[in-house]
Amino acid sequence: MTDLMPIQGYHHLEFFVGNAKQAAQYYRTAFGFSAVAYAGPETGVRDRASWVMAQGDIRFTLTAGLGPESPIVQHAARHGDGVRDVAFAVPDAEQAFAVAIQRGAEAFAEPVVQEDEQGKVVTAAIKAYGDTIHSFVDASNYSGAYLPGYVGVSEQPAPSAGTATPVFAAPGQPVGLRLVDHIVANVELGRMDDWVNFYADVMGFTQLVHYDDEAISTEYSALMSKVLWDGEGRIKLPINEPARGKRKSQIEEYLDFYHSPGVQHMALATDDIVATVAALRANGLRFMRVPDTYYAEQRAKLDWSAIDEDLDALREQNILIDTDDEGYLLQIFTEPVQDRPTVFFEVIERHGSRGFGEGNFKALFEAIEREQAARGNL
């Protein structure tokens, strides 16, 4: 049977931020991304400035508005820095958009053809949870740095004898981040199944796993989660909603401060999590911590004959480990990367496992609750 909406992977994630230039510097120095493209007043774009940051196959577009009337500025004022667009690469953006609308999606942007001397790109977009959108991007006929309207970024300033000033930015030092593994959404109580049905009906995704509030809970709070995927693993989209508990859950805290559903965290894959996390720590990134007793428990609980890892090295970097019937995974979570307790990142290394760290949920949830309590939000 022909797939009417073949999705090839994530094309990019666009963040709406308060200051794109400073955000680009943060992702360069903290995460090791390099600027590869830019659009703004210097390139003829009058209403925004966007820096495209890359590492491995990951592309973050950091966009800021240039005036108080800008919807980008208003988005940042309401939500803080956050993900506006989870964009998918497709072979035919017009068809993907038409199929999505036919299946019940709400249009955000009709198909548009953008061209320059390096080819053409077709884009369209539909609405998703909260103020998040999904763009469909067909860049198969384009050879430029990113998209039409953007210019490539030089790693060196212009020679002093010249008059032209190219857009330049010093490259980051990569830390081993390769690709986006999954993207997690937080939605309101009672809306998880609505969005599960949306991705099933509109995108043709299927449910990979379901975690109820018994699996993800502590003494004080809980959440429920269902994971949608494309059947091949290129796209994995966990959707969380809060469950009733004695105190405010991390999902409720997110919704309170983001002021709508939205992307909670992005998991970025690496082939050497110990080295990647050590580099990120050296860059000043802060991670959530679990107590040392976690590692004594894991040493006793897990079958280490099937795990090719040094537990002491994992403990030194506070990296979590979980196993399932297909293998194991290693993971760690940053603290929120802006002042509001909203968006954060996960670093993940998979060895066969297609899971999401179910065995770590309680330890992680308790770590998050300690941070919530410190903020006065538990």
Side-chain angles (χ1 to χ4, degrees), residues 37-54:
Y38 170 78
E42 300 88 343
T43 69
V45 178
R46 306 307 305 170
D47 66 336
R48 67 187 65 197
S50 297
W51 291 86
V52 182
M53 310 299 291

Side-chain angles (χ1 to χ4, degrees), residues 13-17 19-35 51-55 58-63 81-83 170-175 177 266 268 280 283 285 334-338 343-345:
L13 301 177
E14 183 169 23
F15 296 71
F16 278 1
V17 300
N19 188 318
K21 184 177 291 186
Q22 290 184 355
Q25 180 74 348
Y26 172 77
Y27 282 97
R28 183 183 76 84
T29 58
F31 285 89
F33 283 80
S34 293
W51 291 86
V52 182
M53 310 299 291
Q55 185 172 175
I58 306 165
R59 298 290 181 274
F60 291 165
T61 303
L62 308 171
T63 297
D81 290 3
V83 176
Q173 296 297 317
V175 298
L177 299 173
M266 293 136 281
L268 308 180
L280 291 170
N283 291 345
L285 203 61
T334 72
E335 294 181 359
V337 293
Q338 59 287 305
V343 179
F344 59 91
F345 287 88

Side-chain angles (χ1 to χ4, degrees), residues 1 73 94 147 166 193 226 238 266 279:
M1 182 176 175
V73 170
E94 292 187 41
L147 297 173
D193 285 337
K226 292 184 178 180
M266 293 136 281

Side-chain angles (χ1 to χ4, degrees), residues 198-219:
F198 169 86
Y199 285 105
D201 296 343
V202 173
M203 302 289 197
F205 294 168
T206 56
Q207 185 173 308
L208 177 62
V209 66
H210 172 208
Y211 302 111
D212 62 20
D213 53 354
E214 293 295 321
I216 316 178
S217 64
T218 69
E219 178 184 356

